[in-house]
Amino acid sequence: MIIPVRVPAGAPLHTEGGVRRLQPDHPLFSARCPACDNPLHDQPVTLVYVGAHPDSRKAAGWMTAAAVAVHAACAGITQT
Ligand SMILES: [Zn+2]
């Protein structure tokens, strides 16, 4: 489900795992990008951090969290 929100044009975004391309047999290959609603397919994608379960939160260090896959371009990442 896509939930449109208004954000400042320079809103920060945290991504993890770099940018990669999905193979056709990847479970997310046919999933839709939450930002543009087009299939992820073999376009460059990245993972955008969206939150963490309260029990997983820590004051410092690393924690396990949740992310969604979006097109790298939709996350503002351009590659040459
Ligand atoms: Zn997209």
Side-chain angles (χ1 to χ4, degrees), residues 33 35-37 71 74:
C33 170
C36 72
D37 203 32
H71 294 120
C74 291

Side-chain angles (χ1 to χ4, degrees), residues 4-19:
V5 295
R6 289 183 61 83
V7 298
L13 190 67
H14 184 86
T15 64
E16 281 296 331
V19 175

Side-chain angles (χ1 to χ4, degrees), residues 7-38:
V7 298
L13 190 67
H14 184 86
T15 64
E16 281 296 331
V19 175
R20 61 190 67 192
R21 290 179 185 266
L22 304 175
Q23 298 298 312
D25 61 345
H26 193 283
L28 290 177
F29 188 82
S30 296
R32 294 190 176 274
C33 170
C36 72
D37 203 32
N38 290 311

Side-chain angles (χ1 to χ4, degrees), residues 22 26 28 31-35 40 45-48 50 67-72:
L22 304 175
H26 193 283
L28 290 177
R32 294 190 176 274
C33 170
L40 295 174
V45 299
T46 191
L47 299 175
V48 177
V50 294
V68 295
V70 303
H71 294 120

